[in-house]
Amino acid sequence: MSEYKTKIYTALSSLSQLKWTLAAKGLLTGAVAGLLAVFYRMGIEYGTETAIKIYAYFKIHPLFIIPWVLGAGAVGVFVAWLIRLEPMANGSGIPQVEGVVLFGMKMKWNTILAVRFLAGFASSFFGLSLGREGPSIQIGAAGGQAIARNLRKSKLEENYLITGGAAAGLAAAFNAPLSGMVFALEEVHRSFSPLILLSATTASLTADFVSKYFFGLQPVLSFTAFPEIPIHLYYWLIPVGLISGLIGSLINKSLLWFQTLYGKLPDLIRPGIAMLIALPCGMFFPLVLGSGQDLIKFAETTTSGISILVVYLVVKLLFTSTSFGSGIPGGIFMPILAVGTLSGSIVGILASHVGLPPEYISDLAVCAMAGALSASVKAPVTSILLTAEMAGSLTHMLPVAACSFLALLLSDLLHIEPIYEALLERYVENTDDELPMQKKGGLLELPVEFGCDVAGKKISEIEWPNGALIVGVRRGEKELVPRGDTQIMPGDYLVILSTEENETAIRDSVRGLCRNESC
């Protein structure tokens, strides 16, 4: 019993000191994650630029396609071998980070970084339709874990620094620190905590400084100056929101369908097939290569007809699905934004024929970009802030927000599962061996949602799982020492000491008690 009391005292002492050390460690995490994301971005951009030149050369010298095909096969097998070596590094990386933070999955930061860099750089020379944002998030999380393994005082602190690293990765990838902070809360942790926000804020701002030092102050997407859409034209946001919601939902279905299709093939040939598909796309539709930054600029400023935009939309959507479905390390954040922008431009051009002034087509394109991301990822606040930061102005936030929530509504009505949740479920289901989990036993921290089973009740009135002991209640800035008559309020964070053998069951059971299942 005395040993158990010692554990409780140690846990409470570490919690009281955590806030003061977390900010400093968040700065270090942001610097490391920012540097890693910057180097990754440099390599991916160089590879994509080279791929564009290679495909242009093939149009003039087609005989060189033969050795290129052989090279694609060899590189494809090499990438497949790397994925076998570290399965946690395949695909986007965001679902894996969520699995680590929310469900205690184990992540080896050193092999993650090695596979991400090697496979990412090798694949980029083929111009696959994959973004750097998801991998940057996992790379940042791996950097945070590396810092935590050397400096942490508790498992809670490690989780905070992993989350901070993930936020820093997004901030460095997009030059968007606010989006990185909110993404950590809305998508990675899916709850609010002052300590999570502290870690994400310090890491994101530091990573953004590092990124701007190397790439300058210019946003990743330099939109042309476009006027703010007048209030009396806001009714055009309804079709834009609905169409972008439909596009975002279609993207999810397509990504998952092609992933299933690739799953029927031997894993060694999947990356090679995706690289071969890139050949005709690169030769005839070079704008679809890479993440889609050039395609977004083309869609936002296009004076071409609707037909070419429709063609690019279909090609980009299918090319992204074939690239991502193969399991090659790469993200889908930017490709989703590109497809959404194309859909908004199409709606804008159609609307310009029936009363919309042409100068507002760009507004609808930007709104649809946020709508497609919101419908696919179901993180609307991140989608809104990310679009605003990339546009370099908050003046368009209201129409962007309106489209984002309309798209989210349609996605919910169509019962579309958030893409990263669906990918995490598939990752768990398709793992042959037992999932690697972190060392058991220690502290858990879980938020209390409004309307859940424990909200408004006293601790003594709740049937807690065996082996769980409530050792702390965090309410805003206050750290409460729990007693039997302590009432649990919505927004509280419960600090739970778990036994080693029952941690997984305790985590799942308490999470169920603290969640509002109707949401």
Side-chain angles (χ1 to χ4, degrees), residues 330-375:
I332 51 177
F333 236 84
M334 188 70 84
I336 291 173
L337 294 174
V339 175
T341 307
L342 287 165
S343 69
S345 288
I346 292 170
V347 174
I349 293 174
L350 289 173
S352 68
H353 295 304
V354 289
L356 179 73
E359 60 266 27
Y360 298 117
I361 294 176
S362 295
D363 292 79
L364 300 190
V366 172
C367 290
M369 178 173 66
L373 186 63
S374 180

Side-chain angles (χ1 to χ4, degrees), residues 255-276:
L255 290 170
L256 296 175
W257 188 84
F258 274 96
Q259 189 183 61
T260 301
L261 186 63
Y262 271 106
K264 299 176 182 179
L265 302 174
D267 61 344
L268 280 178
I269 68 171
R270 296 172 195 169
I273 291 174
M275 292 171 184
L276 291 176

Side-chain angles (χ1 to χ4, degrees), residues 133 170 173-180 221 223 333-334 337 369-370 373 380-392 397 400:
E133 297 74 28
L170 180 63
F174 276 119
N175 283 8
L178 288 177
S179 302
L221 298 177
F223 294 117
F333 236 84
M334 188 70 84
L337 294 174
M369 178 173 66
L373 186 63
V381 180
T382 300
S383 303
I384 294 165
L385 281 178
L386 186 60
T387 303
E389 286 190 282
M390 288 192 299
M397 183 170 285
V400 165

Side-chain angles (χ1 to χ4, degrees), residues 38-78:
V38 163
F39 294 148
Y40 185 79
R41 176 176 166 182
M42 287 178 175
I44 296 299
E45 288 182 349
Y46 176 78
T48 303
E49 291 169 2
T50 304
I52 294 173
K53 296 175 183 177
I54 289 173
Y55 292 128
Y57 185 81
F58 285 168
K59 294 180 73 173
I60 304 172
H61 304 91
L63 286 178
F64 285 91
I65 293 176
I66 297 174
W68 179 91
V69 170
L70 297 176
V75 174
V77 171
F78 173 66

Side-chain angles (χ1 to χ4, degrees), residues 111-174:
T111 54
I112 290 288
L113 292 178
V115 173
R116 278 288 173 194
F117 275 89
L118 287 174
F121 289 171
S123 302
S124 68
F125 286 95
F126 296 86
L128 296 168
S129 182
L130 296 170
R132 62 176 180 269
E133 297 74 28
S136 295
I137 288 169
Q138 190 181 28
I139 286 170
Q145 186 184 56
I147 297 296
R149 289 294 167 89
N150 291 285
L151 300 178
R152 74 170 188 177
K153 292 184 177 179
S154 67
K155 273 175 56 180
L156 276 181
E157 188 176 54
E158 180 174 341
N159 262 9
Y160 292 145
L161 293 178
I162 289 174
T163 304
L170 180 63
F174 276 119

Side-chain angles (χ1 to χ4, degrees), residues 175 208 211-213 215-220:
N175 283 8
D208 184 55
S211 178
K212 283 182 168 63
Y213 178 82
F215 298 110
L217 301 178
Q218 187 119 3
V220 171

